[in-house]
Every structure is written in C-alpha cells, then in structure tokens.
Amino acid sequence: MTTTLLETVRRYADLHSDQNGTARTPIPGLTAIRAATRGQLQYAINRPLVALVLQGRKRVTMGAHTFDFGAGESLLISADVPTVSQITRASAQLPYYSLVVELDPAVIASLIVEMNLAPEQQGIPVRVDPTESEVADAALRLMRLLERPSSLPVLQSQFVREIHYWLLAGRHGAAIRALGVADSHAQRIARAVAIIRSDYAKPLRIERLAEAAAMSPSSFHKHFRAITSLSPLQFQKQLRLIEARRMMLSEGSDVSSAAFGVGYESVSQFTREYGRMFGLSPAKDIKAALGQLDTAA
C-alpha cells in the first residue's frame, strides 16, 4: 500500500511542484513534497504536522535532538517549534517524496471524546516512528480524492478525519492528544503563538500573550519554553529572521527592506542576528542559496 501511495504522490508532485518542490493540494493542510537533489538547510517554525516519507531520506534537528529518517517512517511535530531540516538522500533517478498532513486540533478534540482517550502530558514535540499501514491507507484514499475533484466537497472532511483517527490510534497517538485537550497548556500556548505569528513585526507584549494563554506572565514564560523550547522573544526573533530570509529568496527583497519589513529598526542588528542564526551574512547566505537553486535547476 505504501508503494501505491508513493506512486499517487509522485504523480501529483511531479505535475504540481513549484520551484521549491512544494505541491500544495486543494485539501487544506495536505501538501506533497518533491526534491531531485540533496537540499540546503531549511529553517522553519512548523505548525503541528505529520510527514510521511515515501522515498529518500531527511534529517531534522530541534534543539539538541537530531532525527535521521527515510522511506516508511513518519515525522511528527506536535507543537510550534523551530527546526532545521535537510533532505539527505535524493537524485534525479530517485527523487525524495513525502506527504505532509497538518494536524487539526478541532478534529483531534472531537475524536478524543469519541475514542474515550485519556489526556497525555506534553512530551518532546518532535519524534520519528515507522508509518503504520492504516495511516498510509488513509493517506492514499485522501490523495485519490484529488483525481476526482467533484468528490472533494462530499468526502474530504471524513477522509481528513479518518487519517487523524488512525494517527491517534497508533504510535503517534499519545504524543498528539494534548493538541485536542480543551484548555491544555498546549492549546493555551498555541493561542499565544498564533498572536506572535500574525503580529511578528510588532513589538512583543508579554502581558497580552499571557492574557491570551490565561496564565500569569511567569507561568506563561515557563510553559512557553517547555512547549516550544524557546522564550517568547527568541520565538519572535527566529520567526522574523525566517520570514526575512523567505522575502529575500522568494521576493527578491534587499537586506534593508527585509529587515524593516519584519520589524527590525536597525539593519546592523538584523545582520548580526541573521549571521548568528544562519551562519552567514544575509547577502552571502542568499547568494549561496540562489546558487544552489540554480545548480539544482
């Protein structure tokens, strides 16, 4: 069944991938990934998701934890956390393919009640496990809907729900339950993270974030770091730098425009912090990244 899923994802990704190898689908939260070469380092603050690797290999680092995984395995990210990732095995003959499913807390909450599952404490937010056959089967049915667009309005919701069911029932289940537990620390922090994501270019107001999370400022700091591995200020800083890098790579923004666009008041401060995160100055990093893209093309 996994081979059939690979073939289905391959057909879709080969037709619809953009220059970055991303093939978004009409189903919200469902994305196919394709890469024909080993990739450069990718920096991101991911939303909760599961990535089913179907061909090739990838490495993901979060803090002190590094995960190397490949075909037949799934990566779970159960909180908004910063990661550094790299596709480590891919070629023109055997490209890297994966299928990414963003986790829906509302669907998880509903299933937790119906499945009578006990709440779980939030553990490490990144893990890798073998992909279970039930999850692969559900993913295949979901992908096949794309070949019959008229079926999407009728079947899409129930198939998305099915894949969440099998994820909860399987190896990943315990790790994602906190996403659906009403008023859990994970959900409270997620409300604050949503504010930072939408207002990342604005000055950070801890009182507003703590209020959104229904916590005292000290409790908010403690739980924010426990779940995301960063302080709120570090989270905002990384989000700003990642967005600035995207603006320079994808939109052709110059360094100063990107710096001011994400909320920096000083280009020199932006350049220093960019270099600490990405290892190169903005100009050198973007030149190197564009050179790798040209080589891959």
Side-chain angles (χ1 to χ4, degrees):
M1 186 60 72
T2 301
T3 300
T4 308
L5 177 59
L6 169 60
E7 292 169 354
T8 307
V9 170
R10 178 191 291 129
R11 283 197 302 271
Y12 189 86
D14 287 353
L15 283 173
H16 299 283
S17 293
D18 61 19
Q19 64 175 357
N20 298 314
T22 300
R24 304 194 184 280
T25 75
I27 300 173
L30 184 69
T31 305
I33 305 295
R34 180 188 188 279
T37 60
R38 289 182 51 167
Q40 58 181 305
L41 293 177
Q42 298 290 330
Y43 299 80
I45 297 180
N46 297 103
R47 290 181 169 83
L49 59 80
V50 170
L52 285 63
V53 178
L54 307 172
Q55 185 166 281
R57 294 192 65 81
K58 192 169 189 176
R59 178 180 298 123
V60 171
T61 299
M62 189 216 73
H65 302 277
T66 296
F67 304 85
D68 286 284
F69 53 99
E73 295 180 294
S74 296
L75 168 75
L76 168 70
I77 299 178
S78 60
D80 296 71
V81 293
T83 60
V84 181
S85 63
Q86 183 180 30
I87 293 170
T88 56
R89 183 183 297 168
S91 67
Q93 293 74 31
L94 291 172
Y96 170 91
Y97 291 101
S98 67
L99 184 66
V100 177
V101 181
E102 292 187 11
L103 298 173
D104 187 329
V107 174
I108 293 170
S110 173
L111 287 169
I112 284 175
V113 173
E114 294 185 41
M115 296 168 71
N116 195 28
L117 298 174
E120 290 284 338
Q121 294 295 320
Q122 185 83 16
I124 180 172
V126 179
R127 58 182 291 172
V128 171
D129 283 304
T131 302
E132 292 164 307
S133 60
E134 295 87 353
V135 174
D137 290 348
L140 174 59
R141 285 190 287 278
L142 192 58
M143 283 298 297
R144 280 179 171 167
L145 291 184
L146 301 176
E147 298 171 354
R148 297 187 175 183
S150 62
S151 69
L152 289 174
V154 179
L155 298 176
Q156 171 182 314
S157 296
Q158 74 183 58
F159 281 27
V160 168
R161 181 178 171 82
E162 181 189 1
I163 196 169
H164 279 73
Y165 171 86
W166 289 116
L167 287 167
L168 277 168
R171 295 183 181 94
H172 286 318
I176 66 177
R177 287 180 207 170
L179 290 171
V181 177
D183 212 33
S184 66
H185 290 147
Q187 281 207 355
R188 293 188 191 188
I189 295 302
R191 294 199 292 267
V193 166
I195 293 173
I196 300 175
R197 281 187 179 277
S198 65
D199 297 342
Y200 65 85
K202 299 178 181 178
L204 199 66
R205 291 183 55 242
I206 295 299
E207 295 78 9
R208 180 191 176 199
L209 299 176
E211 182 180 354
M215 297 177 180
S216 68
S218 59
S219 178
F220 171 72
H221 268 285
K222 173 185 174 183
H223 290 295
F224 192 98
R225 184 178 286 277
I227 289 172
T228 69
S229 78
L230 298 172
S231 71
L233 186 60
Q234 289 170 330
F235 189 99
Q236 182 199 45
K237 183 185 296 184
Q238 290 203 16
L239 191 60
R240 284 179 168 183
L241 292 170
I242 290 168
E243 174 61 15
R245 190 173 192 265
R246 185 200 66 77
M247 290 169 62
M248 290 184 287
L249 271 175
S250 301
E251 300 175 9
S253 298
D254 59 32
V255 174
S256 60
S257 295
F260 295 133
V262 299
Y264 277 85
E265 297 180 356
S266 164
V267 175
S268 59
Q269 181 186 2
F270 168 75
T271 301
R272 286 195 303 272
E273 294 182 353
Y274 190 102
R276 282 197 290 267
M277 181 167 176
F278 297 114
L280 292 171
S281 69
K284 289 182 179 179
D285 177 52
I286 298 306
K287 181 178 180 180
L290 291 174
Q292 287 188 355
L293 287 175
D294 289 341
T295 300

